[in-house]
Amino acid sequence: MRRLIQATCLFVAVGSSAATAQAEDVEVRNAWVRWLPGGAPMAGYFVLENSGQDAIALTGASSAAYGSASLHETVQRDDDNTSMQPIDLPLKVAGQSSVRFEPGGYHLMLRQPQRSLSPGDRVRIEFATASGRPVQVTFAVRSPTGE
């Protein structure tokens, strides 16, 4: 059985009740990184749920665990091949909706690990938002099969 990992979203807010409400409205679930050997690029997957009324907008990602973190998507080409490309930012998540980052679709592209990683490790990823409040999430590093 696949374990769901509940990641806590932390918002850096400056004393506004609207900021507090937004923090309560965002949940990141099943946050994990697909480990690959030899310093190869890795992918991060998760579900971002916005239970609030207002849209949120992701504008980027970063992590001290990687030299580069960016939001990507897998696209189907005319020749039956797929490729990856950066997502046009900002990525808006409407109120009362969610967006899935999963194999074959949206994903977090993680390059140049800054230390040796193995399945079972945890890494912190920070998502930038248009509101200026970063969302910090802990991702579990899993085997290439996702277990």
Side-chain angles (χ1 to χ4, degrees):
M1 181 170 119
R2 292 179 71 182
R3 228 175 71 191
L4 288 181
I5 296 177
Q6 185 79 24
T8 304
C9 294
L10 302 172
F11 284 78
V12 179
V14 279
S16 114
S17 60
T20 303
Q22 184 179 15
E24 295 169 1
D25 294 339
V26 176
E27 180 180 9
V28 174
R29 295 185 297 109
N30 200 26
W32 66 284
V33 169
R34 177 177 283 147
W35 173 84
L36 293 174
M42 300 179 199
Y45 306 109
F46 57 98
V47 177
L48 177 76
E49 293 184 358
N50 180 4
S51 61
Q53 298 301 313
D54 296 326
I56 60 169
L58 296 180
T59 59
S62 64
S63 174
Y66 298 92
S68 165
S70 56
L71 302 171
H72 277 229
E73 65 182 324
T74 303
V75 294
Q76 183 70 42
R77 299 291 178 202
D78 293 335
D79 59 3
D80 290 330
N81 290 316
T82 60
S83 66
M84 292 178 275
Q85 66 185 29
I87 295 172
D88 289 331
L89 297 175
L91 176 64
K92 293 185 181 179
V93 182
Q96 301 293 310
S97 69
S98 64
V99 61
R100 300 179 78 77
F101 283 68
E102 59 191 358
Y106 286 146
H107 57 278
L108 183 61
M109 179 61 70
L110 302 163
R111 294 186 175 108
Q112 303 161 341
Q114 300 298 292
R115 63 181 172 89
S116 179
L117 295 169
S118 300
D121 289 343
R122 300 206 180 288
V123 293
R124 301 281 293 170
I125 310 284
E126 183 174 289
F127 296 98
T129 65
S131 70
R133 292 180 208 98
V135 178
Q136 297 178 6
V137 181
T138 300
F139 281 66
V141 179
R142 296 185 185 170
S143 72
T145 62
E147 299 192 22

